[in-house]
Every structure is written in C-alpha cells, then in structure tokens.
Amino acid sequence: DVKVTQSSRYLVKRTGEKVFLECVQDMDHENMFWYRQDPGLGLRLIYFSYDVKMKEKGDIPEGYSVSREKKERFSLILESASTNQTSMYLCASVRGFSPLHFGNGTRLTVT
Amino acid sequence: QKEVEQDPGPLSVPEGAIVSLNCTYSNSAFQYFMWYRQYSRKGPELLMYTYSSGNKEDGRFTAQVDKSSKYISLFIRDSQPSDSATYLCAMSAKEDKLSFGAGTTVTVRA
C-alpha cells in the first residue's frame, strides 16, 4: 500500500511566522501535490512537482512556496503565515496523473 | 462557474437506504473519473476509479459516468453507519491534474 505521511496532524502558529509542512511518500512516485481544503470550497491545488527540484504553481500559490530536494519528500512553506491560511493541508502523490494517494492532512491554525 | 459542481448536501439517511451522490462538469475533455471517501480528520481515500462512460460496480458501490450529459453518480446500496463520511468526486483529462468537487457529507443513521 502507498503511504503518504504528513509530519504533523495539528499545528498552531502565530501570524507572521514561517511555517514548514512536510510530506514523505514511500512508493517512488514522481508526482507530488499540495492542496488546501476548506468547507464549501473543496480541494484547491497550491503547488505540485513532477520531479526533484522541479515545481509548478497550482491554482492558489500566493503566500506559499515549496521545496523538493529528494524524490520522496515535498515541503510546503508559508513564508509569513496569515489568518486566512488557516486550513486543512493535504499532500498527495502519484505515478502518472491519477489516482492520487493522500496523506491524512495537517490542520493548521494561524492566530 | 466551477469546472466541477457537486450536490452540497448534507445528506442524512437511515441505515439500509440507497445513497445517491452526483456531480456535473463542464470540461468535455475529462475522461478519468474518481470518487474519494474522506472520514473525519482523515485524508481522502480512493473509492472508485473509472475511465470514460459506463458503470462500474464494487460490492455495495456503483459508479456511473454519462459523458454525453457530463454527469457522474455514485450509488451506495444497503448503506451502513460506517459509510458516514464526506464523498468527493474528482476527474481529469488525459495526463492532467485532477479537478475536485466540493464534497457531500453523508450521515447514515443507525
């Protein structure tokens, strides 16, 4: 079974802090994704990566950056956290394009 | 208009009822269709995966795709309290990113 592991289940951060969300997958998948999930809005794609050191903007990249130094690890960075970034963050990986395998999410609260 | 529209719910049904979930879409290039189930405080897990039009059955679950109407459905027969979750439809064109519906929360009452 594919395992996508997100390092934190819950995080509470203060406005202006730099926040790192980590994701690791164990199936040698080329493609990795970061989504945020908000009630009524569904899943929105923030960034994705097709290979090491490669990144592409998704639909809502503003306020975020990513890092992929190793194939199995994809990090999401909030450069200066704001309250409107309070959300559930989901990491996913796949070989090809579908179907995605998701982690259990990180619920981030910015106060 | 969103690319994928999903009935928002929530749905509450008695145990044993048939649950019907629907999504419509606007992009005629979509050809891969998925349903994900998401339990509270968990990530989405793949439930059904279909290519192009037609039906697919897996136990109590049936997925239907009607590409001519740009409409997909998921049916859950003999629903159980363990089916209580949020169901997300997702779809993509060939070699492209997934587009998701907003999700429908289902509660099956014992």
Side-chain angles (χ1 to χ4, degrees):
Chain A
D1 259 2
V2 176
K3 190 154 187 182
V4 179
T5 303
Q6 294 184 231
S7 55
S8 303
R9 293 299 305 275
Y10 300 94
L11 275 179
V12 180
K13 296 292 181 181
R14 292 192 180 276
T15 302
E17 278 193 76
K18 190 169 186 176
V19 181
F20 294 85
L21 304 183
E22 306 287 345
C23 175
V24 177
Q25 51 94 4
D26 66 357
M27 283 301 292
D28 200 37
H29 286 166
E30 301 89 359
N31 304 328
M32 298 187 73
F33 302 78
W34 276 106
Y35 289 87
R36 64 179 283 177
Q37 184 178 27
D38 300 288
L41 297 178
L43 273 71
R44 292 180 291 167
L45 182 62
I46 304 171
Y47 266 98
F48 59 102
S49 169
Y50 290 144
D51 203 349
V52 174
K53 296 192 185 295
M54 179 272 174
K55 60 185 179 183
E56 294 267 359
K57 292 180 180 179
D59 300 318
I60 52 162
E62 297 79 18
Y64 303 94
S65 63
V66 291
S67 172
R68 193 163 180 203
E69 296 295 319
K70 294 185 178 181
K71 191 174 185 179
E72 68 271 18
R73 186 180 297 270
F74 192 34
S75 302
L76 179 70
I77 303 155
L78 285 65
E79 297 290 344
S80 177
S82 63
T83 55
N84 63 12
Q85 292 179 311
T86 292
S87 186
M88 167 73 97
Y89 289 88
L90 291 163
C91 175
S93 75
V94 66
R95 176 170 290 119
F97 286 86
S98 63
L100 295 178
H101 301 270
F102 285 91
N104 276 329
T106 296
R107 185 165 294 281
L108 172 67
T109 301
V110 182
T111 60
Chain B
Q1 185 188 2
K2 290 182 183 177
E3 201 169 37
V4 180
E5 298 276 2
Q6 183 170 359
D7 291 349
L11 283 180
S12 179
V13 300
E15 185 174 355
I18 294 175
V19 176
S20 173
L21 303 167
N22 308 294
C23 289
T24 58
Y25 62 94
S26 57
N27 187 343
S28 58
F30 286 155
Q31 49 186 303
Y32 299 93
F33 303 92
M34 283 138 273
W35 287 95
Y36 284 83
R37 178 177 60 196
Q38 185 176 22
Y39 290 117
S40 180
R41 291 184 286 278
K42 296 283 190 179
E45 57 177 339
L46 182 68
L47 191 60
M48 300 287 280
Y49 181 41
T50 56
Y51 170 72
S52 196
S53 282
N55 294 357
K56 183 174 183 178
E57 191 171 316
D58 184 1
R60 297 184 293 110
F61 298 89
T62 299
Q64 290 184 350
V65 175
D66 182 347
K67 289 187 70 179
S68 62
S69 301
K70 298 190 181 68
Y71 188 89
I72 71 169
S73 301
L74 178 71
F75 299 96
I76 308 173
R77 290 186 301 281
D78 187 26
S79 58
Q80 304 295 310
S82 59
D83 295 325
S84 298
T86 297
Y87 291 82
L88 301 157
C89 63
M91 50 199 78
S92 71
K94 185 179 179 182
E95 296 187 1
D96 200 0
K97 304 179 297 297
L98 288 183
S99 294
F100 285 87
T104 303
T105 298
V106 175
T107 301
V108 181
R109 309 185 305 270

